[in-house]
Amino acid sequence: QSVLTQPTSVSAAPGQMVTISCSGSSSNIGSNFVSWYQQLPGTAPKLLINDNNRRLSGIPDRFSASKSGTSATLGISGLQTGDEADYFCGTQDSSLSSYVFGTGTKVTVL
Amino acid sequence: QVQLQESGPGLVKPSETLSLSCTVSGGSLRSYSWSWIRQPPGKGLELIGYIDDSGSTNYSPSLKSRVTMSVDTSKNQFSLKLASVTAADTAVYYCARRDYLFDSSGPPRSVWFDQWGQGTLLTVSS
């Protein structure tokens, strides 16, 4: 059972924007940096963003992220069919002395 | 570009020990930590643990009693052993490179996994 909670699913039409929340606590998001991963169907996760809001090289600026307090948010604008995937947040948890992943959110393009 | 490739048996009997290896190509094991992450079918991701090139390990508290990781820098490989497996250990197992920002005041607060293997499905069944 993950300590980081995400909505099970979000959806929007092509070209629209979706946001995915990641809710934690003071021992994880509240005191550490958040990363975001995209997992396309049948493939391994891929790192999109680290250090709360730093996009990896080659990641479109349609993907953005932020953190406030004990929550983090991933935004995907200009939604494309190729964005249909599961998205996971992740961060260190100082109390558990381990890295934890969020529960995951499935993005559907209507 | 670093590439990672898992290898393993695919099927393990209950109570036996699971053994997986990860071969790293296109780069060295030096200067990074190397991790195992698993994903039960239809579920989320779970970090099993990681090892650095010196052999120093850090295991998930929930799996610590059953996990052993090792590294062979001469072969550019690292390995996972998980003892006393049950059906609950059935999952896709990924190896991944762990990177982080050094923090002089204590453990790193910014950690990420930037290179992943394709994953290997490990089924526990008699």
Side-chain angles (χ1 to χ4, degrees), chain B residues 68-124:
Chain B
T68 304
M69 293 183 184
S70 59
V71 64
D72 187 337
T73 54
S74 67
K75 295 182 179 179
N76 245 29
Q77 283 183 346
F78 60 103
S79 300
L80 166 71
K81 291 187 185 299
L82 181 64
S84 305
V85 298
T86 69
D89 296 310
T90 293
V92 175
Y93 285 75
Y94 296 100
C95 56
R97 187 175 75 177
R98 175 182 178 272
D99 201 357
Y100 61 92
L101 278 181
F102 176 76
D103 189 332
S104 60
S105 63
R109 297 188 301 131
S110 184
V111 176
W112 59 90
F113 301 91
D114 61 353
Q115 300 294 335
W116 296 65
Q118 65 184 22
T120 185
L121 175 62
L122 202 296
T123 301
V124 179

Side-chain angles (χ1 to χ4, degrees), chain A residues 65-84:
Chain A
S66 62
K67 188 187 97 167
S68 178
T70 59
S71 292
T73 302
L74 175 70
I76 311 173
S77 62
L79 205 58
Q80 302 176 359
T81 55
D83 297 331
E84 285 201 330

Side-chain angles (χ1 to χ4, degrees), chain A residues 31-35 37 39 42-47 49-52 54 56 86 88 90-92 96-103, chain B residues 6 37-39 43-48 50 58-61 94 98 101 103 107-119:
Chain A
S31 53
N32 295 289
F33 290 77
V34 178
S35 298
Y37 304 84
Q39 186 175 31
T43 70
K46 172 186 176 181
L47 178 66
I49 288 171
N50 64 2
D51 290 349
N52 294 335
R54 188 167 71 99
L56 275 288
D86 293 322
F88 295 90
T91 187
Q92 284 290 112
L96 298 175
S97 297
S98 186
Y99 192 92
V100 291
F101 291 96
T103 51
Chain B
E6 305 89 351
I37 296 165
R38 70 180 183 178
Q39 184 174 35
K43 296 190 177 181
L45 301 165
E46 178 185 23
L47 175 67
I48 299 170
Y50 59 88
N58 186 298
Y59 302 145
S60 166
Y94 296 100
R98 175 182 178 272
L101 278 181
D103 189 332
R109 297 188 301 131
S110 184
V111 176
W112 59 90
F113 301 91
D114 61 353
Q115 300 294 335
W116 296 65
Q118 65 184 22

Side-chain angles (χ1 to χ4, degrees), chain A residues 10-20 61-66 73-80 83 107-108:
Chain A
V10 297
S11 61
Q16 298 298 302
M17 180 172 185
V18 295
T19 59
I20 300 169
D61 59 8
R62 301 186 298 105
F63 293 87
S64 63
S66 62
T73 302
L74 175 70
I76 311 173
S77 62
L79 205 58
Q80 302 176 359
D83 297 331
V107 170
T108 300

